[in-house]
Amino acid sequence: MTRHLLSIDDLGADGIAEVLEVTDSFAEVARRAIPKVPTLRGKTVATLFFEDSTRTRISFETAAKRMSADVLSFAAGASSLKKGESLRDTIETIEAMGIDAVVIRHPSSGVALQATRWLTGPVVVNAGDGWHAHPTQALLDLYTVRELLGGDSRCFEGLRIAIVGDIRHSRVARSQVAAYTAMGAKVTLVGPATLLPPSVEGWGVESVTSVIDDVLPAADVVSLLRIQAERGSGAFLPSLREYTSEFGLTMERARCLPSTSIVLHPGPMVRGVEISSDAAELPQVHVTRQVANGVAVRMAVLFLLLGVPGSAGVPGSADSGRAVSAAGAPPPGASSGPELRAGGRDGG
Amino acid sequence: MAERERNHARPRGVVFLPRVQVMSAADVNRAVTRMAHEIVERNHGVDDLVLVGLQTGGVPIAKRLAATLVELEHTDVPVGSLDVAFYRDDIGLRPVLPEAVTDIAMDLTGRTVVLVDDVLFTGRTVRAALNALGEFGRAQMVQLAVMVDRGHRELPIRPDYVGKNLPTKRDELVDVSGDGVVLGGLVSK
């Protein structure tokens, strides 16, 4: 595990497999009558959400609380940002309070990376930055697939994954592609041409198509995405109804799916657009399982970042034999590398 | 120590070098049989008894003890497994990773629990196990069975059933497996 979790690239295939394996243990904790362990007692986790969220925020906070960490919850709308405080000052103020981990979501890509440059103590977990990445969502999708296929991380080898919807504006899609391809799955992107990224060079996807009906009969996993009106997706489509008729998972299309296939949706699910209301009730749709697994996956991520030497608040333990990946965050104060994306307001 | 944990704890470029075979596979079998008899004797039978193996080294020993208890008393003894990673007091001081999933299917309230581990060393694992057990009910009594007691306790913990008392140096390692017990150390490659 790296010091921070900014994107799936920080983990690599081994890191992903480790998170999924550790998640098994936390899933067992979640099944207990009293789902609480003292693992992170005395640690403080702050959730900084500069963008609306229900499940991610609650999921991280539940995860931290189930490991007995203290949780500070920060909502941009009710903060001094309103009075004109800068992002940097806000983040540094929170660090000054002695926080061990910062879970951050922001509409601009690269804010989590930028936060790692400003913060010297806390570990940073990216809970979604602009179009860039949402690693824990991808990890919980993989965990859900792995659980349904028997609990072995090798199950992804050769698995056919279809990611359907607004790929262009989706950080979830980017993290999913990175995670599935790292584990050896074959990913097909499906969406209207206007909502596909201009280039998929370097994504490692198998194919890109605008005809969903070609893909469904052979798909092991179908991952639906929401049309993100707040990022301007609407302007890329003639109408939502047209999107539904071309790409929505209707009952008719769902009948083309193999019975063993798995349909996932990161939420929030908009019934009647990307999936019809009756199709959402099919047994292949595992949306609530995804939410339940989200807590266990986030427990594993927080545990691996905070509970292992080399992480925050554990000085002098860098020599733990745990390699910090080159894709990890630069040391505090390092000058901006070419990977700097922060500050770019590339959100819709 | 189980293999995965040992791999994390071990400095790079250092390997486990076996030095002395302390117990043979047959010795371990005899020790299991004796300990099973002692468990029956101490508890006047196996009613309300539950064996809980500590992941991962204690689990196979717990299963063998349970099999022997069935032969002796003709009653099934439930076996659970417990991973104490989340209850350790050295989280953040050394690599602590869950080894395997905890599996205790029953409420332990009112039962006699025998914790089973392969090696008793500092006692910190057992301390963590006692805390973890509390989540599964209030056991009437908790006893401790270990294949090897190697000394160097850091906490006031003592085993009830011991396969072998083995005086060791602090930096030595004890390896318990199906092939017996081996004493060795870490050496640079």
Side-chain angles (χ1 to χ4, degrees):
Chain A
M1 199 74 179
T2 51
R3 196 175 122 70
H4 306 287
L5 180 61
L6 303 181
S7 74
I8 290 292
D9 299 335
D10 291 351
L11 295 171
D14 291 345
I16 294 170
E18 179 173 36
V19 172
L20 300 183
E21 204 173 304
V22 171
T23 301
D24 277 335
S25 291
F26 285 109
E28 182 274 322
V29 171
R31 287 193 294 270
R32 293 184 194 172
I34 306 167
K36 190 149 180 148
V37 288
T39 318
L40 294 185
R41 220 177 44 188
K43 303 273 187 191
T44 307
V45 176
T47 55
L48 271 70
F49 277 60
F50 298 92
E51 200 181 85
D52 296 336
S53 159
T54 321
R55 73 207 72 223
T56 306
R57 179 194 201 106
I58 291 177
S59 182
F60 266 111
E61 293 182 357
T62 308
K65 286 177 177 172
R66 286 193 173 167
M67 291 189 291
S68 307
D70 295 312
V71 178
L72 291 180
S73 184
F74 169 94
S79 72
S80 284
L81 280 173
K82 282 260 154 102
K83 302 177 191 163
E85 191 175 48
S86 73
L87 176 65
R88 177 172 190 159
D89 288 334
T90 302
I91 288 177
E92 287 180 349
T93 301
I94 285 167
E95 174 177 25
M97 293 175 188
I99 306 294
D100 298 290
V102 173
V103 177
I104 188 164
R105 166 171 288 190
H106 198 282
S108 295
S109 302
V111 164
L113 175 67
Q114 190 60 49
T116 65
R117 299 195 170 113
W118 291 333
L119 296 169
T120 49
V123 301
V124 175
V125 185
N126 184 2
D129 59 334
W131 302 1
H132 171 230
H134 190 358
T136 56
Q137 178 67 45
L139 290 168
L140 75 89
D141 287 349
L142 265 71
Y143 185 77
T144 305
V145 171
R146 175 180 175 271
E147 186 184 33
L148 291 165
L149 295 181
D152 188 326
S153 296
R154 281 167 301 189
C155 71
F156 297 103
E157 203 62 53
L159 211 64
R160 285 157 305 182
I161 317 284
I163 301 177
V164 184
D166 179 3
I167 315 283
R168 186 190 190 98
H169 301 101
S170 174
R171 56 189 171 222
V172 174
R174 283 169 178 77
S175 286
Q176 285 173 335
V177 169
Y180 282 123
T181 53
M183 300 307 283
K186 294 179 183 152
V187 178
T188 301
L189 302 179
V190 187
T194 49
L195 291 180
L196 290 169
S199 161
V200 292
E201 209 182 313
W203 284 40
V205 296
E206 195 81 353
S207 60
V208 181
T209 174
S210 288
V211 187
I212 190 173
D213 298 306
D214 293 351
V215 179
L216 290 183
D220 297 309
V221 177
V222 179
S223 187
L224 303 172
L225 298 170
R226 186 174 57 92
I227 297 299
Q228 304 196 29
E230 79 274 23
R231 289 187 221 287
S233 308
F236 292 79
L237 292 169
S239 73
L240 283 180
R241 270 176 66 189
E242 174 145 343
Y243 177 82
T244 308
S245 71
E246 294 289 319
F247 297 96
L249 188 68
T250 54
M251 277 309 263
E252 199 181 5
R253 289 210 171 94
R255 274 190 276 275
C256 306
L257 281 171
S259 58
T260 53
S261 65
I262 298 166
V263 178
L264 302 177
H265 192 302
M269 189 158 70
V270 186
R271 288 170 191 248
V273 180
E274 61 266 16
I275 187 165
S276 72
S277 211
D278 41 359
E281 305 301 328
L282 287 171
Q284 291 111 309
V285 180
H286 296 283
V287 176
T288 44
R289 187 189 283 257
Q290 280 176 283
V291 176
N293 286 341
V295 176
V297 165
R298 289 174 177 121
M299 287 171 87
V301 166
L302 288 172
F303 172 74
L304 287 168
L305 289 173
L306 286 173
V308 174
S311 63
V314 190
S317 55
D319 184 26
S320 62
R322 299 182 134 262
V324 174
S325 120
S335 61
S336 322
E339 77 277 29
L340 176 63
R341 289 173 295 265
R345 279 238 165 229
D346 56 356
Chain B
M1 267 201 284
E3 193 54 36
R4 184 161 166 229
E5 186 184 327
R6 193 183 298 143
N7 285 340
H8 279 289
R10 186 184 290 169
R12 253 182 263 205
V14 171
V15 290
F16 176 71
L17 180 77
R19 205 161 47 77
V20 199
Q21 174 104 24
V22 191
M23 294 171 83
S24 67
D27 290 336
V28 172
N29 274 336
R30 288 183 202 108
V32 167
T33 309
R34 173 176 53 76
M35 286 157 79
H37 278 96
E38 287 174 1
I39 290 171
V40 175
E41 184 186 9
R42 169 89 64 95
N43 296 298
H44 310 287
V46 292
D47 295 343
D48 290 331
L49 202 69
V50 181
L51 299 183
V52 174
L54 298 188
Q55 294 284 11
T56 55
V59 175
I61 299 173
K63 286 184 179 151
R64 289 170 69 178
L65 276 172
T68 314
L69 288 173
V70 172
E71 284 171 30
L72 294 176
E73 295 290 303
H74 309 289
T75 314
D76 269 339
V77 178
V79 184
S81 63
L82 183 63
D83 182 18
V84 303
F86 305 143
Y87 296 84
R88 298 201 62 105
D89 58 4
D90 44 7
I91 288 171
L93 293 179
R94 58 174 210 123
V96 173
L97 281 174
E99 310 242 5
V101 177
T102 296
D103 178 18
I104 296 179
M106 78 263 343
D107 183 4
L108 299 179
T109 302
R111 301 254 199 172
T112 298
V113 176
V114 181
L115 285 175
V116 184
D117 205 357
D118 50 355
V119 180
L120 179 59
F121 183 28
T122 60
R124 290 186 186 267
T125 307
V126 175
R127 201 274 319 154
L130 289 170
N131 283 13
L133 271 189
E135 312 278 353
F136 298 90
R138 181 189 180 277
Q140 179 62 38
M141 187 188 287
V142 182
Q143 300 169 352
L144 176 62
V146 296
M147 184 48 65
V148 174
D149 180 357
R150 59 168 294 191
H152 303 286
R153 213 82 72 238
E154 293 171 1
L155 295 170
I157 282 170
R158 125 196 107 64
D160 300 274
Y161 315 101
V162 184
K164 186 174 180 66
N165 282 299
L166 183 63
T168 57
K169 288 196 217 118
R170 232 195 129 78
D171 55 354
E172 284 175 318
L173 276 181
V174 178
D175 190 81
V176 178
S177 70
D179 303 328
V181 178
V182 177
L183 185 63
L186 292 176
V187 290
S188 304
K189 261 192 256 191

mmCIF file of all heavy atoms in Angstrom, chain A residues 269-309:
data_model
loop_
_atom_site.group_PDB
_atom_site.id
_atom_site.type_symbol
_atom_site.label_atom_id
_atom_site.label_comp_id
_atom_site.label_asym_id
_atom_site.label_seq_id
_atom_site.Cartn_x
_atom_site.Cartn_y
_atom_site.Cartn_z
ATOM 1 N N MET A 269 -28.533 5.803 -8.681
ATOM 2 C CA MET A 269 -29.148 5.215 -9.859
ATOM 3 C C MET A 269 -30.364 6.068 -10.250
ATOM 4 O O MET A 269 -31.184 6.399 -9.394
ATOM 5 C CB MET A 269 -29.583 3.799 -9.475
ATOM 6 C CG MET A 269 -30.048 2.938 -10.592
ATOM 7 S SD MET A 269 -29.893 1.183 -10.117
ATOM 8 C CE MET A 269 -31.186 1.047 -8.868
ATOM 9 N N VAL A 270 -30.438 6.439 -11.514
ATOM 10 C CA VAL A 270 -31.610 7.199 -11.964
ATOM 11 C C VAL A 270 -32.486 6.247 -12.763
ATOM 12 O O VAL A 270 -32.197 5.944 -13.916
ATOM 13 C CB VAL A 270 -31.205 8.425 -12.806
ATOM 14 C CG1 VAL A 270 -32.439 9.261 -13.133
ATOM 15 C CG2 VAL A 270 -30.193 9.265 -12.060
ATOM 16 N N ARG A 271 -33.514 5.745 -12.129
ATOM 17 C CA ARG A 271 -34.415 4.803 -12.791
ATOM 18 C C ARG A 271 -35.134 5.502 -13.936
ATOM 19 O O ARG A 271 -35.541 6.643 -13.805
ATOM 20 C CB ARG A 271 -35.447 4.259 -11.811
ATOM 21 C CG ARG A 271 -34.840 3.298 -10.812
ATOM 22 C CD ARG A 271 -35.843 2.970 -9.721
ATOM 23 N NE ARG A 271 -35.207 2.259 -8.628
ATOM 24 C CZ ARG A 271 -35.463 0.987 -8.331
ATOM 25 N NH1 ARG A 271 -36.327 0.298 -9.050
ATOM 26 N NH2 ARG A 271 -34.852 0.416 -7.324
ATOM 27 N N GLY A 272 -35.265 4.794 -15.034
ATOM 28 C CA GLY A 272 -35.932 5.385 -16.188
ATOM 29 C C GLY A 272 -34.954 6.052 -17.135
ATOM 30 O O GLY A 272 -35.327 6.410 -18.240
ATOM 31 N N VAL A 273 -33.682 6.217 -16.738
ATOM 32 C CA VAL A 273 -32.691 6.741 -17.675
ATOM 33 C C VAL A 273 -31.705 5.632 -18.046
ATOM 34 O O VAL A 273 -31.838 5.011 -19.098
ATOM 35 C CB VAL A 273 -31.962 7.980 -17.121
ATOM 36 C CG1 VAL A 273 -30.934 8.489 -18.128
ATOM 37 C CG2 VAL A 273 -32.967 9.086 -16.812
ATOM 38 N N GLU A 274 -30.742 5.330 -17.156
ATOM 39 C CA GLU A 274 -29.765 4.312 -17.527
ATOM 40 C C GLU A 274 -30.276 2.891 -17.270
ATOM 41 O O GLU A 274 -29.733 1.932 -17.811
ATOM 42 C CB GLU A 274 -28.421 4.535 -16.834
ATOM 43 C CG GLU A 274 -28.447 4.500 -15.329
ATOM 44 C CD GLU A 274 -28.596 5.893 -14.729
ATOM 45 O OE1 GLU A 274 -28.971 6.814 -15.472
ATOM 46 O OE2 GLU A 274 -28.330 6.051 -13.539
ATOM 47 N N ILE A 275 -31.286 2.774 -16.450
ATOM 48 C CA ILE A 275 -31.864 1.448 -16.189
ATOM 49 C C ILE A 275 -33.354 1.640 -15.946
ATOM 50 O O ILE A 275 -33.764 2.614 -15.310
ATOM 51 C CB ILE A 275 -31.172 0.779 -14.976
ATOM 52 C CG1 ILE A 275 -31.630 -0.670 -14.796
ATOM 53 C CG2 ILE A 275 -31.375 1.573 -13.701
ATOM 54 C CD1 ILE A 275 -30.732 -1.478 -13.877
ATOM 55 N N SER A 276 -34.161 0.738 -16.473
ATOM 56 C CA SER A 276 -35.599 0.887 -16.249
ATOM 57 C C SER A 276 -35.932 0.371 -14.863
ATOM 58 O O SER A 276 -35.192 -0.428 -14.280
ATOM 59 C CB SER A 276 -36.384 0.141 -17.324
ATOM 60 O OG SER A 276 -36.275 -1.244 -17.102
ATOM 61 N N SER A 277 -37.060 0.820 -14.346
ATOM 62 C CA SER A 277 -37.402 0.514 -12.967
ATOM 63 C C SER A 277 -37.561 -0.989 -12.741
ATOM 64 O O SER A 277 -37.112 -1.520 -11.725
ATOM 65 C CB SER A 277 -38.692 1.237 -12.588
ATOM 66 O OG SER A 277 -38.667 1.549 -11.240
ATOM 67 N N ASP A 278 -38.158 -1.694 -13.704
ATOM 68 C CA ASP A 278 -38.333 -3.139 -13.505
ATOM 69 C C ASP A 278 -37.013 -3.895 -13.682
ATOM 70 O O ASP A 278 -36.751 -4.868 -12.968
ATOM 71 C CB ASP A 278 -39.437 -3.713 -14.414
ATOM 72 C CG ASP A 278 -39.396 -3.144 -15.825
ATOM 73 O OD1 ASP A 278 -38.518 -2.297 -16.085
ATOM 74 O OD2 ASP A 278 -40.233 -3.537 -16.659
ATOM 75 N N ALA A 279 -36.142 -3.420 -14.578
ATOM 76 C CA ALA A 279 -34.848 -4.091 -14.747
ATOM 77 C C ALA A 279 -33.992 -3.938 -13.488
ATOM 78 O O ALA A 279 -33.195 -4.820 -13.158
ATOM 79 C CB ALA A 279 -34.109 -3.532 -15.954
ATOM 80 N N ALA A 280 -34.163 -2.827 -12.784
ATOM 81 C CA ALA A 280 -33.370 -2.598 -11.572
ATOM 82 C C ALA A 280 -33.690 -3.619 -10.480
ATOM 83 O O ALA A 280 -32.922 -3.774 -9.538
ATOM 84 C CB ALA A 280 -33.604 -1.185 -11.057
ATOM 85 N N GLU A 281 -34.822 -4.302 -10.612
ATOM 86 C CA GLU A 281 -35.214 -5.291 -9.590
ATOM 87 C C GLU A 281 -34.756 -6.704 -9.947
ATOM 88 O O GLU A 281 -35.034 -7.649 -9.218
ATOM 89 C CB GLU A 281 -36.741 -5.285 -9.407
ATOM 90 C CG GLU A 281 -37.336 -3.929 -9.068
ATOM 91 C CD GLU A 281 -36.766 -3.340 -7.785
ATOM 92 O OE1 GLU A 281 -36.435 -4.127 -6.885
ATOM 93 O OE2 GLU A 281 -36.641 -2.109 -7.704
ATOM 94 N N LEU A 282 -34.087 -6.869 -11.084
ATOM 95 C CA LEU A 282 -33.661 -8.202 -11.502
ATOM 96 C C LEU A 282 -32.612 -8.766 -10.543
ATOM 97 O O LEU A 282 -31.860 -8.009 -9.927
ATOM 98 C CB LEU A 282 -33.063 -8.145 -12.920
ATOM 99 C CG LEU A 282 -34.058 -7.937 -14.065
ATOM 100 C CD1 LEU A 282 -33.310 -7.677 -15.360
ATOM 101 C CD2 LEU A 282 -34.982 -9.135 -14.201
ATOM 102 N N PRO A 283 -32.561 -10.100 -10.430
ATOM 103 C CA PRO A 283 -31.579 -10.694 -9.504
ATOM 104 C C PRO A 283 -30.125 -10.449 -9.910
ATOM 105 O O PRO A 283 -29.233 -10.537 -9.063
ATOM 106 C CB PRO A 283 -31.909 -12.198 -9.551
ATOM 107 C CG PRO A 283 -32.729 -12.395 -10.778
ATOM 108 C CD PRO A 283 -33.442 -11.115 -11.030
ATOM 109 N N GLN A 284 -29.869 -10.127 -11.172
ATOM 110 C CA GLN A 284 -28.472 -9.873 -11.571
ATOM 111 C C GLN A 284 -27.978 -8.509 -11.103
ATOM 112 O O GLN A 284 -26.797 -8.211 -11.216
ATOM 113 C CB GLN A 284 -28.331 -9.913 -13.102
ATOM 114 C CG GLN A 284 -28.501 -11.279 -13.715
ATOM 115 C CD GLN A 284 -29.785 -11.348 -14.507
ATOM 116 O OE1 GLN A 284 -30.841 -10.986 -13.993
ATOM 117 N NE2 GLN A 284 -29.712 -11.792 -15.738
ATOM 118 N N VAL A 285 -28.884 -7.664 -10.634
ATOM 119 C CA VAL A 285 -28.501 -6.305 -10.234
ATOM 120 C C VAL A 285 -28.108 -6.322 -8.754
ATOM 121 O O VAL A 285 -28.889 -6.725 -7.898
ATOM 122 C CB VAL A 285 -29.661 -5.316 -10.486
ATOM 123 C CG1 VAL A 285 -29.259 -3.907 -10.075
ATOM 124 C CG2 VAL A 285 -30.055 -5.346 -11.952
ATOM 125 N N HIS A 286 -26.873 -5.894 -8.470
ATOM 126 C CA HIS A 286 -26.334 -6.058 -7.118
ATOM 127 C C HIS A 286 -25.985 -4.718 -6.477
ATOM 128 O O HIS A 286 -24.971 -4.593 -5.804
ATOM 129 C CB HIS A 286 -25.096 -6.951 -7.163
ATOM 130 C CG HIS A 286 -25.396 -8.343 -7.604
ATOM 131 N ND1 HIS A 286 -25.968 -9.279 -6.774
ATOM 132 C CD2 HIS A 286 -25.254 -8.955 -8.798
ATOM 133 C CE1 HIS A 286 -26.136 -10.411 -7.427
ATOM 134 N NE2 HIS A 286 -25.714 -10.239 -8.668
ATOM 135 N N VAL A 287 -26.842 -3.738 -6.690
ATOM 136 C CA VAL A 287 -26.511 -2.388 -6.236
ATOM 137 C C VAL A 287 -26.430 -2.295 -4.710
ATOM 138 O O VAL A 287 -25.513 -1.683 -4.164
ATOM 139 C CB VAL A 287 -27.526 -1.384 -6.815
ATOM 140 C CG1 VAL A 287 -27.263 -0.003 -6.275
ATOM 141 C CG2 VAL A 287 -27.433 -1.382 -8.327
ATOM 142 N N THR A 288 -27.354 -2.936 -4.004
ATOM 143 C CA THR A 288 -27.302 -2.822 -2.538
ATOM 144 C C THR A 288 -26.112 -3.588 -1.972
ATOM 145 O O THR A 288 -25.507 -3.172 -0.978
ATOM 146 C CB THR A 288 -28.591 -3.327 -1.875
ATOM 147 O OG1 THR A 288 -28.963 -4.549 -2.498
ATOM 148 C CG2 THR A 288 -29.706 -2.319 -2.028
ATOM 149 N N ARG A 289 -25.742 -4.690 -2.617
ATOM 150 C CA ARG A 289 -24.560 -5.419 -2.182
ATOM 151 C C ARG A 289 -23.312 -4.536 -2.341
ATOM 152 O O ARG A 289 -22.404 -4.565 -1.509
ATOM 153 C CB ARG A 289 -24.419 -6.695 -3.003
ATOM 154 C CG ARG A 289 -23.319 -7.617 -2.522
ATOM 155 C CD ARG A 289 -23.111 -8.727 -3.518
ATOM 156 N NE ARG A 289 -24.129 -9.748 -3.451
ATOM 157 C CZ ARG A 289 -23.942 -10.935 -2.870
ATOM 158 N NH1 ARG A 289 -22.804 -11.214 -2.300
ATOM 159 N NH2 ARG A 289 -24.891 -11.835 -2.866
ATOM 160 N N GLN A 290 -23.290 -3.761 -3.438
ATOM 161 C CA GLN A 290 -22.165 -2.848 -3.645
ATOM 162 C C GLN A 290 -22.046 -1.870 -2.478
ATOM 163 O O GLN A 290 -20.952 -1.586 -2.004
ATOM 164 C CB GLN A 290 -22.367 -2.028 -4.923
ATOM 165 C CG GLN A 290 -22.020 -2.742 -6.198
ATOM 166 C CD GLN A 290 -22.354 -1.854 -7.388
ATOM 167 O OE1 GLN A 290 -23.516 -1.729 -7.763
ATOM 168 N NE2 GLN A 290 -21.360 -1.227 -7.960
ATOM 169 N N VAL A 291 -23.194 -1.350 -2.038
ATOM 170 C CA VAL A 291 -23.156 -0.370 -0.949
ATOM 171 C C VAL A 291 -22.639 -1.026 0.328
ATOM 172 O O VAL A 291 -21.794 -0.471 1.031
ATOM 173 C CB VAL A 291 -24.552 0.246 -0.732
ATOM 174 C CG1 VAL A 291 -24.529 1.195 0.453
ATOM 175 C CG2 VAL A 291 -25.013 0.969 -1.989
ATOM 176 N N ALA A 292 -23.123 -2.235 0.615
ATOM 177 C CA ALA A 292 -22.666 -2.946 1.821
ATOM 178 C C ALA A 292 -21.170 -3.218 1.732
ATOM 179 O O ALA A 292 -20.428 -3.009 2.700
ATOM 180 C CB ALA A 292 -23.444 -4.247 1.986
ATOM 181 N N ASN A 293 -20.713 -3.667 0.568
ATOM 182 C CA ASN A 293 -19.292 -3.955 0.411
ATOM 183 C C ASN A 293 -18.450 -2.690 0.475
ATOM 184 O O ASN A 293 -17.276 -2.746 0.840
ATOM 185 C CB ASN A 293 -19.044 -4.663 -0.924
ATOM 186 C CG ASN A 293 -19.508 -6.107 -0.893
ATOM 187 O OD1 ASN A 293 -19.682 -6.679 0.173
ATOM 188 N ND2 ASN A 293 -19.718 -6.679 -2.057
ATOM 189 N N GLY A 294 -19.063 -1.554 0.111
ATOM 190 C CA GLY A 294 -18.326 -0.301 0.134
ATOM 191 C C GLY A 294 -17.756 -0.004 1.508
ATOM 192 O O GLY A 294 -16.620 0.462 1.638
ATOM 193 N N VAL A 295 -18.526 -0.304 2.549
ATOM 194 C CA VAL A 295 -18.046 -0.046 3.908
ATOM 195 C C VAL A 295 -16.840 -0.930 4.212
ATOM 196 O O VAL A 295 -15.809 -0.455 4.700
ATOM 197 C CB VAL A 295 -19.176 -0.279 4.934
ATOM 198 C CG1 VAL A 295 -18.648 -0.114 6.345
ATOM 199 C CG2 VAL A 295 -20.331 0.684 4.685
ATOM 200 N N ALA A 296 -16.938 -2.207 3.877
ATOM 201 C CA ALA A 296 -15.826 -3.131 4.177
ATOM 202 C C ALA A 296 -14.565 -2.758 3.391
ATOM 203 O O ALA A 296 -13.453 -2.793 3.930
ATOM 204 C CB ALA A 296 -16.242 -4.565 3.869
ATOM 205 N N VAL A 297 -14.742 -2.381 2.126
ATOM 206 C CA VAL A 297 -13.586 -2.001 1.305
ATOM 207 C C VAL A 297 -12.924 -0.754 1.886
ATOM 208 O O VAL A 297 -11.700 -0.661 1.975
ATOM 209 C CB VAL A 297 -14.017 -1.760 -0.154
ATOM 210 C CG1 VAL A 297 -12.935 -1.022 -0.928
ATOM 211 C CG2 VAL A 297 -14.331 -3.079 -0.842
ATOM 212 N N ARG A 298 -13.723 0.192 2.315
ATOM 213 C CA ARG A 298 -13.147 1.433 2.849
ATOM 214 C C ARG A 298 -12.502 1.192 4.202
ATOM 215 O O ARG A 298 -11.524 1.856 4.565
ATOM 216 C CB ARG A 298 -14.220 2.515 2.893
ATOM 217 C CG ARG A 298 -14.537 2.958 1.473
ATOM 218 C CD ARG A 298 -15.671 3.921 1.307
ATOM 219 N NE ARG A 298 -15.762 4.275 -0.102
ATOM 220 C CZ ARG A 298 -16.839 4.077 -0.859
ATOM 221 N NH1 ARG A 298 -17.929 3.552 -0.344
ATOM 222 N NH2 ARG A 298 -16.820 4.414 -2.130
ATOM 223 N N MET A 299 -13.035 0.244 4.983
ATOM 224 C CA MET A 299 -12.339 -0.143 6.221
ATOM 225 C C MET A 299 -10.950 -0.681 5.870
ATOM 226 O O MET A 299 -9.955 -0.322 6.504
ATOM 227 C CB MET A 299 -13.143 -1.217 6.975
ATOM 228 C CG MET A 299 -14.401 -0.700 7.651
ATOM 229 S SD MET A 299 -15.424 -2.041 8.298
ATOM 230 C CE MET A 299 -14.680 -2.270 9.917
ATOM 231 N N ALA A 300 -10.892 -1.529 4.860
ATOM 232 C CA ALA A 300 -9.603 -2.116 4.476
ATOM 233 C C ALA A 300 -8.637 -1.032 4.018
ATOM 234 O O ALA A 300 -7.459 -1.042 4.383
ATOM 235 C CB ALA A 300 -9.811 -3.158 3.373
ATOM 236 N N VAL A 301 -9.135 -0.078 3.233
ATOM 237 C CA VAL A 301 -8.264 0.988 2.727
ATOM 238 C C VAL A 301 -7.741 1.837 3.888
ATOM 239 O O VAL A 301 -6.536 2.103 3.991
ATOM 240 C CB VAL A 301 -9.024 1.858 1.702
ATOM 241 C CG1 VAL A 301 -8.277 3.158 1.436
ATOM 242 C CG2 VAL A 301 -9.216 1.083 0.404
ATOM 243 N N LEU A 302 -8.622 2.243 4.791
ATOM 244 C CA LEU A 302 -8.185 3.063 5.923
ATOM 245 C C LEU A 302 -7.222 2.278 6.811
ATOM 246 O O LEU A 302 -6.225 2.810 7.304
ATOM 247 C CB LEU A 302 -9.392 3.535 6.741
ATOM 248 C CG LEU A 302 -10.264 4.603 6.074
ATOM 249 C CD1 LEU A 302 -11.535 4.852 6.888
ATOM 250 C CD2 LEU A 302 -9.501 5.915 5.897
ATOM 251 N N PHE A 303 -7.509 0.989 6.989
ATOM 252 C CA PHE A 303 -6.628 0.159 7.818
ATOM 253 C C PHE A 303 -5.233 0.046 7.190
ATOM 254 O O PHE A 303 -4.223 0.200 7.868
ATOM 255 C CB PHE A 303 -7.239 -1.231 7.991
ATOM 256 C CG PHE A 303 -6.320 -2.210 8.674
ATOM 257 C CD1 PHE A 303 -6.089 -2.119 10.036
ATOM 258 C CD2 PHE A 303 -5.688 -3.213 7.966
ATOM 259 C CE1 PHE A 303 -5.234 -3.006 10.674
ATOM 260 C CE2 PHE A 303 -4.832 -4.104 8.589
ATOM 261 C CZ PHE A 303 -4.610 -4.000 9.944
ATOM 262 N N LEU A 304 -5.197 -0.196 5.884
ATOM 263 C CA LEU A 304 -3.894 -0.365 5.231
ATOM 264 C C LEU A 304 -3.111 0.942 5.208
ATOM 265 O O LEU A 304 -1.886 0.939 5.254
ATOM 266 C CB LEU A 304 -4.079 -0.902 3.812
ATOM 267 C CG LEU A 304 -4.501 -2.374 3.739
ATOM 268 C CD1 LEU A 304 -4.952 -2.748 2.337
ATOM 269 C CD2 LEU A 304 -3.360 -3.273 4.176
ATOM 270 N N LEU A 305 -3.815 2.085 5.160
ATOM 271 C CA LEU A 305 -3.115 3.368 5.142
ATOM 272 C C LEU A 305 -2.687 3.800 6.539
ATOM 273 O O LEU A 305 -1.633 4.394 6.710
ATOM 274 C CB LEU A 305 -3.997 4.450 4.522
ATOM 275 C CG LEU A 305 -4.233 4.340 3.012
ATOM 276 C CD1 LEU A 305 -5.256 5.372 2.573
ATOM 277 C CD2 LEU A 305 -2.941 4.518 2.242
ATOM 278 N N LEU A 306 -3.515 3.511 7.545
ATOM 279 C CA LEU A 306 -3.261 4.034 8.889
ATOM 280 C C LEU A 306 -2.662 3.008 9.837
ATOM 281 O O LEU A 306 -2.023 3.370 10.812
ATOM 282 C CB LEU A 306 -4.573 4.542 9.504
ATOM 283 C CG LEU A 306 -5.101 5.850 8.949
ATOM 284 C CD1 LEU A 306 -6.471 6.146 9.527
ATOM 285 C CD2 LEU A 306 -4.154 6.987 9.254
ATOM 286 N N GLY A 307 -2.886 1.739 9.576
ATOM 287 C CA GLY A 307 -2.527 0.733 10.567
ATOM 288 C C GLY A 307 -1.205 0.050 10.321
ATOM 289 O O GLY A 307 -0.810 -0.826 11.071
ATOM 290 N N VAL A 308 -0.531 0.426 9.249
ATOM 291 C CA VAL A 308 0.688 -0.284 8.871
ATOM 292 C C VAL A 308 1.869 0.679 8.946
ATOM 293 O O VAL A 308 1.729 1.839 8.586
ATOM 294 C CB VAL A 308 0.519 -0.874 7.454
ATOM 295 C CG1 VAL A 308 1.797 -1.499 6.961
ATOM 296 C CG2 VAL A 308 -0.601 -1.910 7.465
ATOM 297 N N PRO A 309 3.028 0.240 9.455
ATOM 298 C CA PRO A 309 4.173 1.132 9.579
ATOM 299 C C PRO A 309 4.487 1.835 8.260
ATOM 300 O O PRO A 309 4.295 1.276 7.193
ATOM 301 C CB PRO A 309 5.317 0.197 9.946
ATOM 302 C CG PRO A 309 4.666 -0.964 10.573
ATOM 303 C CD PRO A 309 3.328 -1.102 9.918
#
